[in-house]
Amino acid sequence: MQVNAEARRPGGWRQNRVVRFFASLNTGITLLTLVLVYACVFSALPQVRGAVEVTEMQAFSHWLFTTLTVLLCVSVLVATLARIPFNLPNLGVWTVHAGILLLCGGALWYFGSKIEGDVILRSPRLELVTTSMGGERTIAALLPEPGQTWSNFMPAFGGDVTLEVKGTATSAAGGIQQATVRVTIGSAEPVDVSVAAADGAATPINDRLGLRLETFPGERTFYHHEHAALWYRGSADPNWHTSELAGLPYFRERYLDEGYVLEDTAGRPEPSKRTTPAVTLAGITIPTGWFENWRLPLRPATPGLPFDVEITGYVPYIGGMRQLAVGGGTALNPGMNVRLAIANTDQMIERALFARRPSASSIDLRSPVEFRWVESADERDALLAPLAGPSELAIEIKEPPVSKTVVVAAGEVIEVEGTPYRLRIQQIMPSWPLISPGFEGATSPAAIIEVESDTKKFTRTVIQRYPQFTQDIDETGMRRKVGLYDENIVMRFRTAENGCALLVGDSAGAARGDLLLGVFSPDGQVETRTVRVGDNAPLSLGGLPLILTVLDLFEKAQGGEIPVVEALETRRPSVAARSASAIRLKLTGKDAFAGWSETRWMRFSQYPHVDPVPLQIRPPGALETYELIYSRMPHDLGATLIPQKLTVNFFPGRRSVESWRSYFRVEPDEDEPHIGTVYTNQTYAVGPWTLFQSGAAQDHWSYTILGVGNRRGIWPMVLGCTMITLGCLWAFYVKPALKRRAVERVREQERARAGHGGAKPARADVREMVHTG
Amino acid sequence: MMTTIRYAVVVAAFLVSSAWPAHAAERPLPPSVKAAQLDKRIDWREARLIAVQDAGRYKTLDSFARESMSAMYGRECLPGLSPLASLLEWLFNRPAYADEPVVRIRDKGLRIHFSTHMPAAQRQFIIEKGYMTPRQLSERQVQDRMRELEPRFEMVSAMRRVRDAQGVAGFLDEMLFIVPPATPDPEEPWHLTSDLIRNLPEDLRAQAGATIEPGAKPVPGLSADQAVQVLGAWAKLRSAWLGQDAAGVQSSVDRLAQLLPTLAAAGVYPSRAQRSAEARYYAMGKFTDGWILYFLGAIASVWALVTRWRTPWFIALVLLVAAMAFHAYGIGLRWYILGRIPVANMFEAVISSAWIGIACALIGELIYRSRVFLFGATVTGFVALVLGGYVIPGAGTLTTIMGILDDVMLRIHTVLIIASYAMIFVAAVIAAVYLFAYYFHTAPFASLQMGAATAVIGAIIAVSAYLVFGQPVSGAAESVKRPGVAVVFWAAAVATLLAIAMLTWLRAHGATIFSAVLLLTAFTTIAIGNKTFVLGTGVSLLAAGMIWALGTGAGLLWRLVQGATSPSPALAAAGGPAMSVSALRMARPILAGGAPGDENRAAALPVWLHTVDWSQMIMLNLVFVLLFVGTILGAVWADYSWGRPWGWDPKEVFALNTWIVYAILIHARFLVKNKGLWTAWLSVAGCGMMAFNWCFVNFFIVGLHSYA
């Protein structure tokens, strides 16, 4: 390289200060060094990336790095034009520099328009279900493909159960519509069962087992790897709407102060990191928002919702969710945090109880501890009244009017005197699970009673805590979902067979910071006392010495679930921070719901239609429930992908997978449908998107995950790289030879001019000079 | 001349033979005494070739034995036993070892964790020796501790090693899949000998007192007769082993070796040639012992470099070629066994890349005979094989390759990248020679002081590693730093700093600053590092400083002595014969590239220093092109593998960073006055970047290349 511009052409544009600055080698080397330092810091130090909330991709798409790259390109361009004469020896360096400009330009285009995400394709599945426990519970699943088999030894179902898919029927689009399965149970003759996808419910094999064919629609949406989004809709709206959560943190726990500190799975406090992009040095706060892109709080646009959404917290790597009652609510929502410890041991549990949330109103140990809220003294007295015995049944008959309370036990028969009613206590259930909307997860003691009168014979389930859900099953076996089969008889059931404790609060007590504790012994007797917040109350429950401590009590509580952060030492770097994250939403009512506000944490869903963890919100007085999902930004693929098959190559022994191959049907918007395949080291293009094998199910068949990305700017980069390589070869190996030849020619001419003819002298050989030994 | 060569060759051969790791007879563990006697009477040649399906590949019984024993005991065999004897002893006589210290706990922190509840003597033994007995390992306290530690990310590798050791110690017989299926599918799982019980007729099972689980299926394709034969040979082997019946053991293992291949469908059982190659590969210690030849070659090349005599040059060349042949044979054998080019993991990359780099350096040496190529090649070979044999985790165990890595473009990319890495190392060695020679030529006494200061600081750090981190602390905590002691050592650091300053302030301020920076850096390592890191840093600095200082001192003495007796070497040491600038320019090799050199300073620098500079430029030019092309081919592979040529993965970024360092280097040659010196320093920096990329990024930064 000849670096002699001034001598070549003094003055002119090359003397311009800006040109001289960019043409300077010092500038070029400084810029290269800055690029190097930036790359080292942001690549080798994940702590730095974490602190400023950028992923690797975002770090190298940041405006600062882009600026450095552009400046370097300008330097290369100006230095080449101003300082390097364009001639044959310098062809190499010109080519290299032109290649660098092309490479950088292509890279800026590529990364500036880069979108990356993935799509999950779920295979149809044939499920073996048991119907013997009320609902349908899946025992096993297999791919509905002829020849596929499944077998297991299940003595409870008659011995070896073997399924073999004998055939399938597919639709014109290639989707499976029907499957025929040969089922062999124990030593019985095999039976062929035909299962249709449209059925929905299981096709019975016998009275205990059934088969179900589940199919999934094709996918035409993929989800961005890094861009989070809030998905929302009203219950009347079939379509989801999305709002991008631009600026959401990624790596660090950041949450605005709401009066509590999160804990990690080891029980240590995990306070929030910075919540505004600024750093404080020696007491001086320096805003860093010009460099950092994350923000808190975020206010995503959610048109159509009757409330505003504000993201006030973000936690990556959550290890679970914990209930916690906190104050600050605007409506009556009695809540308390309570600790229950076994005396003289270190065993204890802490729970948040909410009297108005059925699933969170009790600690369901063998002897339950329940939180109730009362509006009046009568209500309180009724709750804390002693039982007639271990279990009691209050019977009220309208015609003829009879009212009585009797002690009951399982198997007991009660003749209600003066009436035609004869009751038989079929079963007393200490913990009956509720499935009614709003009561999912709640349990209650219940009595199943057979009732017989002159005209009717039915079974009634009387639920202690939620008597409104008492249900009848009539003679035909039909469950009465609305109203009772026999309105003439009303029953109330209470039990203390295993002992129980009631924490009964009211507004006056909450103001004082106390509540009543009623401890029921198994004989139905009750001991009542006042418990203050913070006091340790010893009690004996089910024969176990316990200490109960009410940690907090709120009349208008809020909070609900809060995340427990995965302890630092147990985090797996291979798990992306976002995929295990949660956000906190502050929902504030507007228009008709002005004045209402609620704060809730919500977990991340990788695929909103596959593993949704929706938050259901119903502002007070609203006619509609609104669903929110925290997931990823969707992008249109421009085609529908329908899974066909996932195949796997194993290493010898089939204990580990060597590679996967996914077959799928592509239905483009403006083209004929065709079959696509991606596998290890082989991509497939659908319009502007490139698909590649990204992940697969552990069972090797039930789903495949295809990575999706665009790749604009590839060809300039390829051309640039080729030019750099060729230019280097020229500069390193051709140019010295050309230069030497030129020098030798000049010498020859000089020698000829000086009259020194004769043979050409041998070129000095470095070997001769160093071999002095 | 020939006499000298003969002597040199004899001396080298003697050194090689004496330094070769001799498998000295070890005292067997008490329960192994009889087995050791039995072992000597068995001919294992056929038995070691029995194929085993394990860890996703087919291997020999010999490899399985060595790998299993390594996982449990930390060595390929129990003391005094061969690997196969160790395997059989563990399979058949395991209860006898319940109280023998045979389970190796490699990680010192875990030794403390696992022994806190034990009596002091036992605790001390475990912490110092690193061995636990199977009974100790199964104690409730130890198991509880393991369960506590397992979820912790930083413990994952350590706990996996412990679980592997525990698995071998407790369930080795459930890992030995030597019965091939009769199906022609090479993926089909193989079976344990005990699985064959399911193939026996019910009456035979009843006779043998064997039971099977309900629903258990027989091994498909094998007849009851075949099952009887295998089970019979296995049972006989067991009883003969326990009964010290050498003839019985011999006949049983030979019978199994003959019988098992006949059970497999055609094409499933690995070929005998392949199994023999694998057995040979392991028996030769994976050919990493070739470091001795490289080491001797390095000594000879130093001799040649310093004296510039032909004889040591020739000796070094012969040793290098011999070492390369040995090295190449090992690589070739591994290639043949695995059926793919061995560049898939750290061990293979280091070993293979080193050979390519050495070959390039050898070609350079044969063309230019500058001696530094020879020195660079031998040092590279020595370092690579020592790393492969003693440092790299896994010690070169043959493993499978992930499907995604089984690609032609990726292989080309990998070969180019690792070849460039090896050449970077060769160039850095040449750069180190340049730096040493430059400072020796321009400021020998300051250079001596720098070396001495480095050595002193290294010694201080090494000693402080023991004192600051102290003895193992009782209780569950690992070694902890004692702040009080650290303060004392910071004070010592400042005192040493002052001493160095006093020694050097009149001589060379550069040395003072260098020492100060070195000292503060070193003591910072004490503040932030752990014991191993600090000790490693100390020993490295001590060794490097000593070599530097002793080399400089010896050079000064040499110059003094030879200057009085022989003008030629002294002349060479002082700068060689003078050359004009133009002659020097004409002497510059074409391959040294188009960037300017120091030829204008012909009068200030000796010719041989220019030679070293040209030599490093020859390597660096190649590196610049190869590294770039290799990186780009990696991007091409990534593009067609997952549609993304570049993802800013740390490995990619640091490959780019390494290239940027060399881009800076090339441009710096146009800018600075002292071109050779800057090039040498930047070459060392580039090597540091490469080493960071290869070691730190691979093992400590999670990314797409974490498996590499």
Side-chain angles (χ1 to χ4, degrees):
Chain A
M1 191 195 300
Q2 189 177 333
V3 186
N4 196 8
E6 285 77 9
R8 202 159 58 85
R9 191 183 295 176
W13 63 273
R14 290 181 177 81
Q15 291 304 314
N16 180 286
R17 274 188 188 178
V18 177
V19 171
R20 283 173 61 189
F21 172 76
F22 279 111
S24 162
L25 264 175
N26 278 318
T27 303
I29 289 177
T30 305
L31 285 168
L32 271 176
T33 309
L34 288 175
V35 167
L36 181 71
V37 170
Y38 185 101
C40 285
V41 168
F42 278 91
S43 189
L45 299 174
Q47 297 87 345
V48 174
R49 290 201 304 273
V52 298
E53 301 289 2
V54 290
T55 61
E56 282 159 345
M57 211 64 162
Q58 289 165 344
F60 291 96
S61 302
H62 195 274
W63 67 262
L64 183 56
F65 189 73
T66 307
T67 305
L68 284 175
T69 310
V70 169
L71 287 175
L72 186 65
C73 288
V74 171
S75 175
V76 168
L77 179 67
V78 174
T80 309
L81 294 174
R83 303 184 63 152
I84 306 171
F86 185 71
N87 53 32
L88 196 61
N90 286 338
L91 187 61
V93 69
W94 269 78
T95 312
V96 170
H97 285 186
I100 286 173
L101 293 177
L102 266 176
L103 176 60
C104 292
L108 288 175
W109 183 16
Y110 177 84
F111 290 109
S113 59
K114 187 69 182 167
I115 295 174
E116 277 195 334
D118 55 78
V119 57
I120 186 168
L121 301 182
R122 289 173 291 170
S123 303
R125 50 195 292 129
L126 195 59
E127 292 183 338
L128 176 68
V129 298
T130 171
T131 51
S132 61
M133 298 176 74
E136 289 181 356
R137 193 168 59 85
T138 304
I139 298 172
L142 74 160
L143 183 68
E145 185 184 82
Q148 291 286 324
T149 59
W150 177 89
S151 182
N152 200 13
F153 181 64
M154 298 197 295
F157 293 97
D160 270 325
V161 178
T162 304
L163 308 179
E164 183 186 358
V165 183
K166 300 302 289 182
T168 55
T170 55
S171 67
I176 289 184
Q177 298 289 298
Q178 195 175 34
T180 307
V181 185
R182 177 157 297 172
V183 183
T184 313
I185 299 175
S187 55
E189 280 297 305
V191 289
D192 285 348
V193 180
S194 191
V195 194
D199 285 357
T203 305
I205 299 170
N206 55 28
D207 57 341
R208 303 172 71 194
L209 292 172
L211 279 172
R212 184 169 55 204
L213 178 62
E214 194 173 359
T215 57
F216 303 98
E219 297 285 351
R220 64 168 295 126
T221 303
F222 71 94
Y223 301 93
H224 200 286
H225 272 167
E226 291 170 351
H227 293 179
L230 188 70
W231 292 59
Y232 62 94
R233 70 174 179 187
S235 54
D237 187 352
N239 299 317
W240 286 96
H241 309 278
T242 53
S243 178
E244 184 173 353
L245 300 178
L248 187 71
Y250 198 93
F251 294 106
R252 296 282 190 268
E253 301 80 15
R254 302 187 192 276
Y255 51 96
L256 302 177
D257 185 17
E258 293 227 347
Y260 60 89
V261 173
L262 298 178
E263 289 184 352
D264 69 11
T265 46
R268 294 172 301 218
E270 189 65 63
S272 171
K273 309 294 185 298
R274 292 178 300 140
T275 52
T276 50
V279 288
T280 303
L281 292 172
I284 302 167
T285 300
I286 306 162
T288 53
W290 52 272
F291 183 81
E292 299 183 73
N293 290 326
W294 65 272
R295 299 285 182 272
L296 268 187
L298 290 178
R299 295 181 182 88
T302 52
L305 287 183
F307 47 84
D308 288 325
V309 178
E310 194 175 53
I311 314 290
T312 61
Y314 171 82
V315 184
Y317 302 113
I318 60 167
M321 300 296 276
R322 184 167 78 87
Q323 294 278 334
L324 181 77
V326 293
T330 52
L332 177 69
N333 181 21
M336 65 190 293
N337 297 312
V338 66
R339 181 193 299 143
L340 204 57
I342 300 175
N344 305 319
T345 71
D346 56 358
Q347 293 180 48
M348 52 158 242
I349 51 170
E350 278 187 15
R351 291 278 170 85
L353 299 178
F354 296 87
R356 300 288 167 97
R357 285 193 201 165
S359 61
S361 64
S362 64
I363 304 174
D364 285 317
L365 306 174
R366 187 167 173 272
S367 308
V369 177
E370 192 182 352
F371 178 33
R372 302 294 287 261
W373 193 260
V374 294
E375 303 289 345
S376 65
D378 290 345
E379 198 181 346
R380 181 191 64 208
D381 294 343
L383 276 174
L384 294 174
L387 276 70
S391 298
E392 70 171 29
L393 187 70
I395 306 163
E396 194 176 323
I397 296 168
K398 293 174 184 168
E399 192 60 43
V402 172
S403 181
K404 63 186 290 190
T405 299
V406 294
V407 177
V408 292
E412 197 169 338
V413 177
I414 302 159
E415 303 281 356
V416 187
E417 286 176 16
T419 72
Y421 287 101
R422 185 170 180 271
L423 313 178
R424 183 177 165 274
I425 311 299
Q426 192 188 75
Q427 199 175 357
I428 290 177
M429 306 276 287
S431 186
W432 176 271
L434 277 82
I435 54 172
S436 300
F439 290 79
E440 298 94 338
T443 59
S444 167
I448 300 172
I449 303 163
E450 292 171 10
V451 185
E452 201 175 335
S453 67
D454 293 343
T455 55
K456 291 177 177 171
K457 185 178 178 186
F458 58 97
T459 304
R460 175 167 291 182
T461 305
V462 185
I463 297 171
Q464 178 177 339
R465 284 180 202 155
Y466 311 105
Q468 66 269 36
F469 293 122
T470 294
Q471 277 193 350
D472 290 345
I473 300 174
D474 64 18
E475 295 90 341
T476 63
M478 182 180 286
R479 187 180 293 274
R480 295 290 171 137
K481 291 185 178 171
V482 181
L484 294 173
Y485 182 49
D486 185 351
E487 302 276 1
N488 192 43
I489 180 167
V490 176
M491 291 182 267
R492 296 271 189 275
F493 172 70
R494 288 205 301 164
T495 182
E497 269 188 1
N498 299 319
C500 66
L502 283 186
L503 285 158
V504 182
D506 57 19
S507 293
R512 290 192 306 270
D514 64 34
L515 69 173
L516 277 176
L517 169 66
V519 181
F520 288 80
S521 56
D523 60 0
Q525 294 306 300
V526 60
E527 179 200 332
T528 308
R529 62 189 135 135
T530 301
V531 176
R532 291 191 61 78
V533 173
D535 285 354
N536 292 329
L539 68 152
S540 177
L541 212 52
L544 206 60
L546 301 171
I547 295 173
L548 183 142
T549 313
V550 177
L551 302 168
D552 305 287
L553 175 65
F554 307 99
E555 186 178 4
K556 294 176 180 176
Q558 60 170 340
E561 279 191 322
I562 63 163
V564 179
V565 183
E566 187 69 50
L568 200 60
E569 60 271 21
T570 54
R571 290 180 190 175
R572 294 284 182 271
S574 53
V575 175
R578 180 61 51 77
S579 65
S581 69
I583 55 173
R584 187 174 62 190
L585 297 98
K586 185 174 182 185
L587 313 169
T588 309
K590 58 187 183 186
D591 303 331
F593 305 105
W596 165 80
S597 180
E598 190 170 332
T599 300
R600 301 279 287 273
W601 284 91
M602 180 164 52
R603 295 185 74 147
F604 182 76
S605 301
Q606 193 73 10
Y607 301 99
H609 61 305
V610 177
D611 61 341
V613 192
L615 198 61
Q616 294 186 326
I617 302 293
R618 189 165 191 164
L623 299 173
E624 203 176 357
T625 300
Y626 297 90
E627 281 187 305
L628 304 176
I629 296 178
Y630 160 44
S631 185
R632 302 187 282 166
M633 268 308 280
H635 290 273
D636 186 21
L637 265 168
T640 303
L641 306 183
I642 299 163
Q644 299 284 308
K645 191 177 178 183
L646 172 69
T647 61
V648 181
N649 286 335
F650 292 94
F651 285 113
R654 295 203 175 138
R655 287 179 181 81
S656 49
V657 174
E658 188 198 10
S659 60
W660 294 271
R661 183 183 289 248
S662 300
Y663 298 87
F664 48 88
R665 180 183 165 91
V666 185
E667 293 181 351
D669 292 345
E670 296 165 358
D671 205 351
E672 286 298 305
H674 52 275
I675 299 296
T677 314
V678 298
Y679 50 94
T680 307
N681 293 326
Q682 182 61 51
T683 57
Y684 187 85
V686 174
W689 307 109
T690 301
L691 310 181
F692 62 93
Q693 188 66 53
S694 172
Q698 295 283 326
D699 58 17
H700 310 311
W701 66 268
S702 59
Y703 65 84
T704 182
I705 298 174
L706 306 182
V708 185
N710 58 352
R711 47 197 293 279
R712 293 175 187 150
I714 288 287
W715 287 110
M717 288 197 282
V718 170
L719 184 59
C721 291
T722 311
M723 288 172 71
I724 292 169
T725 308
L726 296 175
C728 281
L729 291 173
W730 185 278
F732 291 156
Y733 303 118
V734 179
K735 180 183 171 182
L738 291 175
K739 280 179 73 178
R740 172 157 297 155
R741 193 180 295 172
V743 170
E744 281 173 351
R745 202 178 302 127
V746 169
R747 282 189 175 183
E748 191 76 21
Q749 287 166 355
E750 284 173 354
R751 215 173 284 119
R753 272 201 297 274
H756 295 294
K760 181 183 168 185
R763 186 167 62 81
D765 189 338
V766 67
R767 283 182 291 180
E768 296 309 314
M769 288 181 287
V770 295
H771 292 163
T772 56
Chain B
M1 172 62 84
M2 287 311 293
T3 314
T4 315
I5 293 169
R6 270 199 297 276
Y7 279 131
V9 170
V10 169
V11 169
F14 171 74
L15 286 171
V16 170
S17 61
S18 60
W20 201 268
H23 296 289
E26 289 178 292
R27 183 184 293 180
L29 295 168
S32 312
V33 173
K34 287 181 180 174
Q37 292 164 358
L38 184 62
D39 186 14
K40 294 191 183 84
R41 292 153 57 197
I42 311 293
D43 177 1
W44 295 110
R45 276 178 298 184
E46 289 301 315
R48 66 163 59 104
L49 299 185
I50 290 172
V52 183
Q53 192 186 60
D54 178 54
R57 76 176 195 93
Y58 299 109
K59 55 179 74 165
T60 62
L61 190 63
D62 177 65
S63 303
F64 178 80
R66 288 171 191 269
E67 290 169 12
S68 304
M69 286 300 123
S70 289
M72 182 184 74
Y73 188 59
R75 292 167 54 190
E76 291 185 343
C77 50
L78 294 172
L81 296 180
S82 67
L84 277 183
S86 305
L87 178 79
L88 293 188
E89 179 69 357
W90 199 256
L91 281 172
F92 300 141
N93 197 24
R94 191 168 62 211
Y97 293 83
D99 294 310
E100 294 297 326
V102 289
V103 183
R104 170 91 170 142
I105 308 296
R106 214 182 84 181
D107 307 271
K108 291 184 181 171
L110 288 184
R111 296 177 196 172
I112 298 166
H113 279 298
F114 293 165
S115 61
T116 46
H117 64 287
M118 294 180 185
Q122 280 182 25
R123 193 168 66 230
Q124 195 69 12
F125 178 86
I126 291 169
I127 290 168
E128 283 179 9
K129 305 287 182 190
Y131 284 100
M132 293 177 79
T133 68
R135 196 186 303 281
Q136 285 170 335
L137 196 65
S138 60
E139 282 174 9
R140 187 181 54 81
Q141 292 93 330
V142 176
Q143 292 300 312
D144 287 348
R145 200 76 189 114
M146 284 165 79
R147 274 191 291 276
E148 275 174 41
L149 295 172
E150 224 149 22
R152 293 168 63 166
F153 177 68
E154 76 274 16
M155 290 290 186
V156 167
S157 298
M159 286 307 301
R160 191 173 55 230
R161 283 193 287 271
V162 173
R163 289 294 188 196
D164 287 348
Q166 196 182 17
V168 173
F171 309 102
L172 185 60
D173 45 354
E174 291 173 33
M175 300 175 177
L176 190 60
F177 295 94
I178 57 171
V179 180
T183 49
D185 183 359
E187 286 180 2
E188 193 68 27
W190 286 23
H191 302 274
L192 305 168
T193 49
S194 58
D195 291 343
L196 292 173
I197 292 171
R198 302 195 297 245
N199 290 50
L200 295 181
E202 220 166 286
D203 55 332
L204 264 182
R205 271 210 304 270
Q207 204 178 326
T211 53
I212 58 171
E213 287 176 13
K217 308 262 184 314
V219 176
L222 295 188
S223 67
D225 185 46
Q226 287 171 314
V228 168
Q229 287 183 54
V230 175
L231 283 170
W234 189 255
K236 188 178 167 194
L237 173 62
R238 181 189 174 87
S239 61
W241 185 265
L242 294 173
Q244 306 295 307
D245 172 11
V249 171
Q250 189 68 61
S251 67
S252 306
V253 292
D254 289 348
R255 174 76 180 129
L256 283 168
Q258 177 257 326
L259 187 62
L260 289 169
T262 64
L263 304 180
V268 168
Y269 212 81
S271 73
R272 185 178 176 86
Q274 210 158 10
R275 286 178 280 140
S276 301
E278 181 165 341
R280 193 158 60 248
Y281 183 73
Y282 271 84
M284 291 296 286
K286 303 177 198 91
F287 291 82
T288 51
D289 291 339
W291 66 265
I292 297 162
L293 286 169
Y294 282 121
F295 180 70
L296 295 172
I299 292 171
S301 63
V302 170
W303 184 10
L305 193 60
V306 172
T307 63
R308 320 208 67 81
W309 291 346
R310 276 184 192 279
T311 306
W313 176 79
F314 184 71
I315 293 169
L317 201 62
V318 168
L319 283 167
L320 177 65
V321 171
M324 284 183 71
F326 189 70
H327 191 162
Y329 184 60
I331 294 172
L333 211 52
R334 192 174 178 103
W335 193 334
Y336 171 69
I337 296 161
L338 292 170
R340 57 166 173 80
I341 187 168
V343 289
N345 57 36
M346 192 71 161
F347 175 87
E348 292 175 0
V350 167
I351 299 292
S352 305
S353 73
W355 195 89
I356 301 170
I358 293 163
C360 289
L362 176 64
I363 293 168
E365 184 62 38
L366 291 173
I367 296 173
Y368 298 109
R369 301 189 187 175
S370 66
R371 269 71 167 167
V372 281
F373 281 119
L374 200 56
F375 180 65
T378 49
V379 170
T380 303
F382 166 71
V383 171
L385 294 192
V386 166
L387 283 175
Y390 302 98
V391 180
I392 294 172
T397 301
L398 294 164
T399 53
T400 52
I401 186 174
M402 289 167 69
I404 196 162
L405 302 181
D406 194 7
D407 180 80
V408 174
M409 184 62 77
L410 185 69
R411 286 172 190 165
I412 298 170
H413 150 72
T414 313
V415 167
L416 286 179
I417 286 280
I418 64 174
S420 69
Y421 282 6
M423 280 186 250
I424 285 171
F425 190 81
V426 173
V429 173
I430 297 173
V433 171
Y434 185 92
L435 291 171
F436 179 83
Y438 181 87
Y439 288 117
F440 178 73
H441 179 73
T442 55
F445 291 103
S447 177
L448 184 66
Q449 285 167 2
M450 279 188 200
T454 307
V456 168
I457 290 162
I460 292 170
I461 295 170
V463 172
S464 68
Y466 283 102
L467 297 175
V468 173
F469 291 94
Q471 294 297 314
V473 180
S474 61
E478 295 178 36
S479 299
V480 292
K481 295 172 198 177
R482 286 180 282 180
V485 181
V487 168
V488 170
F489 272 87
W490 273 99
V494 175
T496 318
L497 194 68
L498 291 173
I500 293 169
M502 282 181 67
L503 281 171
T504 54
W505 76 284
L506 278 175
R507 265 301 191 188
H509 293 292
T512 311
I513 294 164
F514 169 76
S515 304
V517 170
L518 193 65
L519 196 69
L520 291 173
T521 307
F523 274 83
T524 304
T525 64
I526 299 177
I528 63 171
N530 60 25
K531 185 174 181 177
T532 310
F533 180 69
V534 172
L535 188 63
T537 308
V539 171
S540 303
L541 288 176
L542 176 62
M546 277 179 66
I547 290 170
W548 190 281
L550 290 175
T552 310
L556 286 169
L557 272 175
W558 172 263
R559 191 157 71 175
L560 199 66
V561 173
Q562 292 299 311
T565 56
S566 166
S568 177
L571 191 61
M579 282 182 77
S580 68
V581 171
S582 58
L584 203 56
R585 282 210 176 117
M586 292 304 285
R588 179 190 171 98
I590 296 281
L591 293 180
D598 278 328
E599 290 83 19
N600 285 337
R601 304 178 66 212
L605 298 174
V607 173
W608 55 264
L609 208 50
H610 289 288
T611 310
V612 178
D613 182 32
W614 297 333
S615 300
Q616 65 175 346
M617 282 311 293
I618 288 170
M619 295 306 288
L620 291 174
N621 286 337
L622 267 175
V623 161
F624 195 72
V625 177
L626 280 183
L627 184 59
F628 184 77
V629 175
T631 307
I632 295 310
L633 289 183
V636 171
W637 166 73
D639 188 43
Y640 73 68
S641 286
W642 53 69
R644 183 174 75 170
W646 194 266
W648 296 110
D649 179 70
K651 187 87 178 174
E652 297 166 353
V653 173
F654 275 88
L656 176 68
N657 288 350
T658 310
W659 192 76
I660 289 176
V661 170
Y662 292 112
I664 291 172
L665 181 155
I666 285 168
H667 289 85
R669 279 185 85 93
F670 291 94
L671 195 66
V672 298
K673 184 184 165 194
N674 223 333
K675 302 179 194 315
L677 185 68
W678 273 89
T679 300
W681 276 118
L682 284 168
S683 176
V684 171
C687 184
M689 192 68 83
M690 178 274 288
F692 182 86
N693 193 18
W694 217 357
C695 305
F696 196 83
V697 172
N698 274 6
F699 291 117
F700 298 104
I701 298 180
V702 174
L704 297 173
H705 294 74
S706 295
Y707 49 80

